[in-house]
Amino acid sequence: MGRITEDLIRRNAEHNDCVIFSLEELSLHQQEIERLEHIDKWCRDLKILYLQNNLIGKIGCEDLTKLDLTVNFIGELSSIKTLKHNIHLKELFLMGNPCADFDGYRQFVVVMLPQLKWLDGKEIERSERIQAMQNYSAVEQQIREQEEAYCLRRAKEKEEAQRKLEEEKEIEDKKRRNPGFDRRWYTDTHAALPVSTENKDHLQVLKSQEEEHVMGTLDENEDDMAFWNKPSSFTPESRLETLRHMEKQRQAQEKLSKNEKVKPPRTLITEDGKVLNVNEAKLDFSLKDDEKHNQLILDLAVYRYMDTSLIEVDVQPTYVRVMVKGKPFQLILSAEVQPDRSSAKRSQTTGHLVICMPKVGDVITGGRPTSKSVETTSDNNGEQTNPRKKKIERLEVDPSKHSYPDVTTIVQEKKYKPKSLKSQPKILPSEEDPDFEDNPEVPPLI
């Protein structure tokens, strides 16, 4: 990165809708920034600036009230003079920088920046400022000597870092030119096996691929462990080396993830059309046969707080399929159902998915259970009728086989005597009867 750019500031100003001219607070930590330039031109209202963990070696002049330069590489403490005319600066953080280890560091900063109220999170008292001003001439000379020593040390560190970088590049070039570099300990376990000429080339390719994969993984692990275990000085070069190593690991991980084989989708229906039972989502379920309402009910224990939009239901005549977050659940049904009349609902208490699937072929009357045919033999050979072919039994009356009921036998007990439907002969009174009395006023019987 090196420098602060307008694009970098805009990307880190999302909290201000990426508007930078009115930006008052900005955080640019861990951006590999080496120099502070032009911030005052782009962000005129900037008050607080965070620049922790960068590569800044000198302090620039910004119109700020708070400046945080924690854990950088500021060794030239005299560069803070550029902030002397910034009358609004009240807080400054320089802890974690080489200059913070200088003798007289705090006294020098307190005198150079009289507008400061806080330094490294500690308030500057009036007595501390007066005492620092009294000893300023001696402290200033001491700071300059330490800065010169720091600059000489930094020059040697840069030379050493450049030499190591060239050695690493040379090793990497050797590895690229010779893939078997530093891999001589590997032995061929297949050498003792008799191999035909036809399969020799194939086995050699497989062996090379396996060797490259195994050895590459081992080398990467060993290099990574060696890098993090080796001693390192606190320099901008070591920080950059760490960043390069982490970037290399990230790229290797991305390359590995791209080369990974994609997992083939699970087979739900075979090539010959056979439907399989699948529960890749590993969900509990129950399938009930509701004979009263002539339907099958599937209760699937879907995750309670999962969004319903992540569930897809597909009901077919002989099976049902449910996709839960892309994982299939498929179940073969015990009877043929009607997909167009099926329904799916979720329980508001448990989150379970309940699918009701009406069956095909049965008759529902008055809410009573469907009548079932009884197995009978069709002939003397003992063949039974197919239980799937159910027939509805009806009451039939054949006049040729049954006579009409005799209503003359229907009587009421104890109260009435049975009456005969046959006509009885009429008995006329006779004149010889002693009880006979002839009344002339009564007309004769005809």
Side-chain angles (χ1 to χ4, degrees):
M1 181 71 62
R3 299 182 179 182
I4 297 178
T5 63
E6 182 179 356
D7 182 62
L8 175 63
I9 296 176
R10 199 175 297 279
R11 289 200 309 269
N12 288 271
E14 295 180 355
H15 60 284
N16 200 45
D17 296 330
C18 298
V19 179
I20 64 175
F21 70 89
S22 61
L23 194 64
E24 296 185 356
E25 183 175 340
L26 180 62
S27 178
L28 297 174
H29 59 279
Q30 294 182 350
Q31 296 288 342
E32 303 179 37
I33 298 172
E34 297 179 1
R35 303 171 65 179
L36 297 177
E37 295 176 339
H38 310 304
I39 294 183
D40 55 339
K41 297 179 181 179
W42 295 320
C43 310
R44 298 183 181 274
D45 296 333
L46 192 63
K47 301 294 186 297
I48 301 174
L49 178 60
Y50 298 97
L51 292 165
Q52 306 99 313
N53 291 294
N54 280 287
L55 306 173
I56 299 172
K58 294 183 180 181
I59 299 177
C61 180
E62 281 80 31
D63 186 15
L64 302 169
T65 59
K66 180 179 179 180
L67 178 59
D68 192 341
L69 293 166
T70 305
V71 192
N72 276 278
F73 297 95
I74 299 173
E76 299 182 31
L77 187 57
S78 58
S79 63
I80 66 170
K81 293 180 180 180
T82 57
L83 300 175
K84 186 175 182 178
H85 301 288
N86 187 351
I87 60 176
H88 303 289
L89 186 63
K90 303 300 179 184
E91 295 183 66
L92 179 64
F93 292 86
L94 292 173
M95 62 182 68
N97 288 273
C99 66
D101 297 330
F102 290 176
D103 295 334
Y105 148 74
R106 186 173 177 88
Q107 294 91 328
F108 182 81
V109 176
V110 168
V111 175
M112 291 299 299
L113 303 176
Q115 73 273 30
L116 281 184
K117 300 296 183 183
W118 297 80
L119 177 59
D120 294 334
K122 183 179 179 181
E123 187 177 3
I124 301 174
E125 301 290 344
R126 183 178 180 183
S127 58
E128 181 184 7
R129 193 180 301 278
I130 294 174
Q131 185 178 0
M133 293 178 65
Q134 292 175 352
N135 301 326
Y136 177 71
S137 59
V139 170
E140 183 181 17
Q141 181 64 29
Q142 194 177 14
I143 292 296
R144 288 180 179 178
E145 293 175 357
Q146 293 177 88
E147 283 182 345
E148 292 177 359
Y150 171 77
C151 292
L152 293 174
R153 187 170 65 253
R154 280 291 301 128
K156 293 180 180 180
E157 289 173 351
K158 289 180 180 179
E159 292 179 0
E160 183 66 18
Q162 185 65 27
R163 184 183 61 81
K164 289 183 178 179
L165 184 60
E166 292 177 356
E167 290 180 356
E168 291 178 359
K169 288 183 178 180
E170 185 178 355
I171 293 175
E172 292 295 331
D173 292 340
K174 288 182 179 180
K175 287 184 177 181
R176 283 195 295 267
R177 291 194 300 266
N178 184 11
F181 177 74
D182 200 21
R183 297 179 182 178
R184 298 178 183 177
W185 60 271
Y186 182 82
T187 57
D188 187 4
T189 57
H190 301 283
L193 297 176
V195 183
S196 63
T197 306
E198 182 180 3
N199 297 330
K200 186 175 181 180
D201 295 337
H202 178 67
L203 291 177
Q204 184 65 28
V205 172
L206 293 178
K207 183 184 70 173
S208 300
Q209 293 177 350
E210 179 181 0
E211 176 185 353
E212 183 178 356
H213 175 72
V214 173
M215 295 308 302
T217 304
L218 292 175
D219 285 348
E220 289 177 0
N221 293 336
E222 291 178 359
D223 293 344
D224 186 61
M225 292 296 296
F227 176 82
W228 293 112
N229 290 331
K230 72 177 181 180
S232 176
S233 58
F234 182 69
T235 61
E237 290 75 23
S238 64
R239 179 78 63 80
L240 288 173
E241 185 182 8
T242 302
L243 294 174
R244 286 194 299 267
H245 182 76
M246 295 174 65
E247 180 65 18
K248 182 180 178 182
Q249 283 187 318
R250 186 188 64 81
Q251 293 177 357
Q253 186 65 29
E254 290 181 355
K255 183 179 180 181
L256 181 63
S257 61
K258 290 180 180 179
N259 293 336
E260 288 180 353
K261 295 182 178 179
V262 180
K263 185 178 179 181
R266 183 178 292 272
T267 302
L268 302 178
I269 301 177
T270 61
E271 295 180 357
D272 56 354
K274 181 180 179 181
V275 180
L276 304 178
N277 287 327
V278 178
N279 189 2
E280 188 174 338
K282 298 181 180 180
L283 300 174
D284 295 332
F285 68 95
S286 64
L287 183 64
K288 298 180 181 179
D289 189 350
D290 185 2
E291 295 185 353
K292 181 178 181 180
H293 299 91
N294 190 36
Q295 63 181 354
L296 297 178
I297 301 176
L298 173 63
D299 188 337
L300 188 60
V302 179
Y303 312 115
R304 182 174 182 179
Y305 298 105
M306 190 179 68
D307 194 338
T308 307
S309 62
L310 301 176
I311 304 174
E312 298 180 6
V313 180
D314 181 17
V315 178
Q316 297 294 330
T318 58
Y319 68 92
V320 58
R321 180 187 301 164
V322 181
M323 302 296 293
V324 182
K325 295 181 67 175
K327 296 182 178 180
F329 171 89
Q330 184 168 280
L331 183 65
I332 301 175
L333 302 176
S334 58
E336 187 176 353
V337 299
Q338 304 178 50
D340 54 342
R341 295 183 55 193
S342 301
S343 63
K345 298 180 181 179
R346 287 192 71 183
S347 172
Q348 295 182 353
T349 56
T350 63
H352 286 202
L353 179 67
V354 180
I355 305 176
C356 300
M357 299 166 284
K359 292 190 288 186
V360 175
D362 292 339
V363 178
I364 304 175
T365 56
R368 297 181 180 179
T370 307
S371 60
K372 298 182 179 180
S373 59
V374 181
E375 293 184 352
T376 56
T377 56
S378 58
D379 52 19
N380 295 332
N381 295 331
E383 296 180 357
Q384 296 182 349
T385 59
N386 189 351
R388 289 181 174 272
K389 298 179 180 180
K390 299 179 181 180
K391 297 182 179 180
I392 302 173
E393 294 184 351
R394 296 183 176 85
L395 180 62
E396 297 181 356
V397 179
D398 188 357
S400 63
K401 296 182 180 179
H402 304 281
S403 59
Y404 291 100
D406 187 4
V407 297
T408 60
T409 60
I410 301 176
V411 298
Q412 187 173 4
E413 295 181 355
K414 297 182 180 180
K415 291 184 179 181
Y416 300 99
K417 293 182 180 180
K419 295 182 180 179
S420 177
L421 297 178
K422 295 181 179 181
S423 59
Q424 298 293 336
K426 296 181 180 180
I427 302 176
L428 300 175
S430 176
E431 296 179 357
E432 297 177 358
D433 189 353
D435 296 329
F436 175 78
E437 181 179 357
D438 188 11
N439 189 350
E441 296 181 0
V442 177
L445 297 175
I446 300 174

